[in-house]
């Protein structure tokens, strides 16, 4: 009995441990709101996180009075703890305050992975600009001399300035674009592998906040890659090896045909002067500052070719993925149809197709889901429109007659149309008049069943007309007499 008891106890412990692990790594979706107080030059965020499941789709983020949406960014992470794998995916909407003050985010709901999440909202206080610090990738290479504080400083040391082989640049992936076409823009600091001048970032957070006020075009929608850590990447420029430090990256979509201009911006760096005759015990470098300026850059924006819908269509390289729950339908019975647009472009600007079911179908306003990915200098994603429909007439129908979506493809410089390829068979009796019969036609029609259909002469009403005319003439005469007396 003792052996059996011990075995049962071990088995129970194993089951409890396994059940606990499953609970620890259960699927969960959550909403995280930004802090209660921020500075005017800081970003406030709303983050949706899906743990141990893929973030497949999500709805629109709420608008906040006193803030402007600056676009979303996404991230993912995987952890292995005690042999157990857990993962999470998140998407973050960034908001930029337009002024100082206290603002209220009202309670809101958002659809995530076909689930409705609720948030109680929040009160956000926006104060004066604050100074922010950012991790300096150069600091580990150009740290202070550890002997300076211990042995003192030699005030007679002569320092010289070494010419640096580094520069600041704003780069774009295109020189000209159409209205609505994306421009991948990157602000980077480049340091040659042959550089010998010690350099270090200085007060980068505050400087970047001021730089972005100049570099962000007003006539464009922004999708920000939200660079959090500045890491060096090797790159080859005209046969010479450099290390590129990306400071900021975004895709801009011009909203009109005005050219996009990126002005020259300056970034102040700490540049050390080095001792002419370095010694082991003395101070061998001296802190100094130098400002690096980028060159101004202009991207030409071309209007879209003539088209009746050129001011309404989306711009990008898109494809269609459609789904329907069944292609064999019966009149009066509902079905679902999903029109999913995916590809490269400004997914946020993709609008729903204009659908008219005519006398054959009733289509209701769709549920909309959106997914945006920012990766490898491109913005891609999808926007799905899920329709609920009811057929009214039997027959064979091609959905391309009802579902079409026109867009402009900048790669081919042509307008294109995404059309459904689904064909459905509808059986049953006609139901197009059911809606008319079910409506209340009013009291006039309700009295029809109670009235007879005998014809009546209207001559008996002639004396009423004569009396009414005499009364009107008498009233006019009286009015004229009163006016003339006055």
């Amino acid at each position: 009995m003792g052996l059996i008891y011990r075995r049962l106890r071990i088995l129970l412990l194993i089951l409890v441990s396994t059940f606990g692990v499953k609970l620890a790594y259960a699927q969960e979706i959550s909403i995280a709101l930004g802090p209660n107080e921020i500075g005017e030059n800081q970003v406030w965020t709303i983050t949706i996180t899906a743990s141990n499941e893929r973030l497949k789709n999500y709805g629109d983020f709420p608008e906040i009075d006193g803030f402007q949406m600056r676009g979303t960014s996404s991230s993912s992470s995987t952890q292995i703890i005690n042999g157990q794998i857990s993962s999470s995916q998140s998407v973050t909407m960034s908001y930029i305050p337009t002024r100082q003050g206290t603002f209220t985010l009202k309670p809101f709901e958002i659809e995530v992975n076909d689930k409705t999440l609720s948030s109680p909202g929040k009160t956000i206080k926006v104060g004066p600009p604050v100074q922010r610090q950012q991790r300096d990738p150069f600091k580990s290479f150009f740290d202070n001399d550890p002997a300076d504080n211990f042995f003192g400083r030699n005030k007679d040391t002569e320092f010289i300035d070494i010419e640096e082989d580094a520069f600041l640049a704003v780069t774009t992936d295109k020189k000209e674009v159409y209205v609505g076409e994306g421009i991948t823009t990157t602000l980077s600091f480049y340091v040659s592998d042959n550089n010998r001048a010690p350099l270090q970032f200085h007060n980068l957070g505050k400087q970047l906040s001021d730089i972005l006020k100049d570099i962000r075009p007003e006539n464009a929608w922004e999708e920000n890659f939200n660079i959090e850590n500045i890491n060096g990447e090797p790159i080859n420029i005209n046969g010479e090896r450099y290390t590129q430090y990306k400071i900021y990256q975004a895709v801009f979509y011009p909203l009109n045909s005005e050219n996009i201009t990126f002005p020259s911006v300056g970034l102040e760096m700490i540049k050390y002067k080095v001792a002419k005759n370095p010694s082991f015990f003395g101070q061998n470098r001296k802190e100094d500052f130098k400002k690096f300026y980028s060159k101004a850059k202009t991207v030409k924006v071309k209007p879209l070719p003539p088209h009746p819908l050129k001011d309404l269509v989306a711009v990008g390289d898109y494809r269609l993925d459609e789904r329907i729950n069944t292609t064999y339908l019966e009149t009066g019975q509902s079905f679902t149809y999903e029109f999913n647009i995916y590809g490269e472009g400004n997914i946020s600007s993709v609008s729903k197709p204009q659908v008219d079911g005519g006398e054959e179908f009733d289509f209701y306003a769709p549920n909309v889901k959106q997914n945006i990915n920012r990766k490898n200098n491109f913005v891609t994603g999808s926007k799905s429109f899920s329709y609920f429909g009811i057929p009214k007439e039997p027959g064979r129908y091609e959905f391309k007659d009802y579902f079409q979506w026109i867009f402009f493809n900048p790669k081919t410089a042509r307008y294109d149309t995404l059309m459904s390829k689904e064909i459905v068979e509808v059986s049953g009796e006609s139901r197009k008049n059911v809606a008319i019969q079910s409506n209340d036609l009013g009291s006039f029609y309700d009295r029809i069943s109670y009235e007879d259909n005998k014809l009546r002469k209207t001559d008996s009403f002639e004396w009423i007309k004569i009396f009414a005319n005499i009364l009107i003439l008498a009233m006019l005469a009286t009015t004229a007499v009163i006016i003339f007396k006055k």
Side-chain angles (χ1 to χ4, degrees):
M1 288 295 292
L3 179 60
I4 295 175
Y5 174 76
R6 286 195 297 272
R7 289 181 176 177
L8 289 173
R9 185 178 179 182
I10 292 172
L11 179 60
L12 180 62
L13 289 174
I14 292 173
L15 290 174
V16 171
S17 176
T18 304
F19 183 68
V21 169
K22 288 183 178 179
L23 285 179
Y25 296 95
Q27 296 178 346
E28 181 182 355
I29 302 176
S30 60
I31 299 177
L33 305 181
N36 296 332
E37 297 185 14
I38 62 171
E40 190 178 7
N41 60 337
Q42 292 181 309
V43 176
W44 196 83
T45 59
I46 297 178
T47 302
I48 300 172
T49 302
S51 301
N52 301 312
E53 67 172 302
R54 188 168 65 89
L55 189 60
K56 295 176 290 186
N57 52 70
Y58 58 91
D60 295 333
F61 283 86
E63 295 184 355
I64 308 175
D65 181 40
F67 289 81
Q68 287 183 347
M69 290 185 180
R70 278 299 185 182
T72 57
S73 61
S74 57
S75 63
S76 61
S77 64
T78 303
Q79 294 181 346
I80 302 177
I81 302 175
N82 296 328
Q84 299 294 328
I85 299 176
S86 64
S87 62
S88 66
Q89 284 185 301
S90 62
V91 59
T92 300
M93 172 61 78
S94 298
Y95 295 84
I96 301 294
T98 58
R99 60 188 184 276
Q100 297 182 27
T102 301
F103 306 97
T104 300
L105 169 61
K106 298 178 180 178
F108 66 93
E109 293 183 347
I110 186 170
E111 293 284 338
V112 183
N113 287 4
D114 302 324
K115 301 175 183 177
T116 300
L117 298 185
S118 300
S119 173
K122 198 169 195 176
T123 299
I124 311 161
K125 183 178 180 181
V126 180
V130 298
Q131 182 173 333
R132 294 176 295 181
Q133 295 182 347
Q134 193 158 347
R135 188 181 66 84
D136 192 341
F138 293 108
K139 191 170 184 179
S140 59
F141 298 101
F142 305 119
D143 219 344
N144 291 332
D145 190 340
D148 287 349
N149 296 331
F150 185 80
F151 294 103
R153 298 178 179 273
N154 185 352
K155 296 182 180 180
D156 297 330
T157 303
E158 182 181 356
F159 296 93
I160 59 175
D161 188 13
I162 300 177
E163 184 68 23
E164 74 285 343
D165 191 354
F167 62 93
L168 179 71
V170 175
T171 57
T172 59
D173 64 333
K174 304 180 185 76
K175 295 182 179 179
E176 63 177 23
V177 295
Y178 286 98
V179 173
E181 181 181 0
I183 309 165
T184 302
T185 306
T186 308
L187 174 66
S188 303
F189 191 74
Y190 298 84
V191 181
S192 171
D193 288 1
N194 299 322
N195 176 65
R196 299 183 61 189
L199 297 169
Q200 183 176 318
F201 282 125
H202 162 67
N203 199 11
L204 185 57
K206 176 64 170 62
Q207 290 194 78
L208 184 59
S209 178
D210 296 334
I211 289 173
L212 294 185
K213 291 179 181 178
D214 296 328
I215 208 173
R216 282 173 169 147
E218 295 181 356
N219 59 324
W221 173 270
E222 176 190 14
E223 288 289 349
N224 193 340
F225 283 78
N226 285 336
I227 297 175
E228 296 179 355
N229 296 317
I230 299 179
N231 300 309
E233 300 176 6
I235 189 174
N236 192 293
I237 302 176
N238 298 327
E240 186 176 348
R241 292 181 60 83
Y242 282 81
T243 299
Q244 178 187 17
Y245 297 92
K246 289 183 180 180
I247 302 173
Y248 167 79
Q249 188 175 45
V251 176
F252 293 106
Y253 299 93
L255 301 177
N256 53 43
S257 56
E258 295 180 8
N259 291 341
I260 300 292
T261 300
F262 301 101
S264 173
V265 292
L267 179 67
E268 189 176 59
M269 299 284 293
I270 296 176
K271 179 185 176 184
Y272 292 95
K273 292 182 178 181
V274 299
K276 185 175 182 181
N277 298 309
S279 63
F280 181 78
F281 297 104
Q283 180 184 3
N284 291 324
R285 63 181 185 179
K286 181 181 179 182
E287 184 178 278
D288 198 3
F289 298 93
K290 179 171 182 178
K291 203 162 190 177
F292 293 81
Y293 290 91
S294 66
K295 294 181 179 179
K297 191 176 186 66
T298 298
V299 178
K300 182 181 178 182
V301 180
K302 302 179 291 184
L304 298 182
H307 190 278
L309 301 176
K310 77 170 189 175
D311 296 327
L312 302 175
V313 299
V315 178
D317 187 8
Y318 298 108
R319 299 290 184 272
L320 174 62
D321 178 30
E322 55 180 337
R323 296 182 180 90
I324 188 170
N325 63 336
T326 178
T327 56
Y328 296 96
L329 311 174
E330 290 188 14
T331 55
Q333 294 186 353
S334 63
F335 67 95
T336 57
Y337 172 72
E338 185 175 304
F339 193 89
N340 183 30
I341 301 168
Y342 70 95
E344 179 187 347
N346 186 3
I347 302 298
S348 299
S349 69
V350 172
S351 58
K352 65 181 179 181
Q354 299 299 320
V355 180
D356 182 6
E359 296 184 351
E360 298 83 20
F361 294 92
D362 278 334
F363 291 110
Y364 297 88
N367 295 321
V368 183
K369 301 173 186 176
Q370 178 175 285
N371 181 34
I372 300 178
N373 303 310
R374 301 164 191 82
K375 189 177 180 181
N376 298 328
N377 301 330
F378 295 100
V379 175
T380 59
S382 63
K383 202 160 189 176
S384 174
F385 303 94
S386 182
Y387 288 88
F388 174 83
I390 298 177
K392 298 186 293 184
E393 284 291 296
R396 183 177 182 273
Y397 301 101
E398 296 184 6
F399 266 27
K400 69 179 181 180
D401 296 331
Y402 307 97
F403 292 93
Q404 296 186 2
W405 188 76
I406 301 173
F407 69 100
F408 179 79
N409 192 334
K411 294 183 178 180
T412 60
R414 297 175 59 185
Y415 290 93
D416 202 349
T417 304
L418 299 181
M419 293 188 295
S420 174
K421 295 181 180 179
E422 295 289 352
I423 299 176
V424 298
E425 297 282 349
V426 180
S427 60
E429 297 180 356
S430 174
R431 298 178 62 87
K432 66 179 180 179
N433 296 324
V434 171
I436 298 176
Q437 295 172 1
S438 63
N439 291 334
D440 183 9
L441 301 179
S443 59
F444 175 79
Y445 292 94
D446 292 339
R447 292 170 55 191
I448 291 179
S449 58
Y450 301 103
E451 298 291 338
D452 58 39
N453 57 356
K454 294 180 180 179
L455 298 177
R456 290 186 174 89
K457 295 182 180 182
T458 60
D459 296 343
S460 58
F461 297 99
E462 289 297 329
W463 66 271
I464 297 178
K465 294 180 182 179
I466 296 172
F467 178 76
N469 291 332
I470 293 173
L471 181 61
I472 293 172
L473 290 175
M475 292 173 63
L476 290 175
T478 304
T479 303
V481 170
I482 294 172
I483 292 173
F484 282 119
K485 282 186 177 181
K486 290 184 178 181

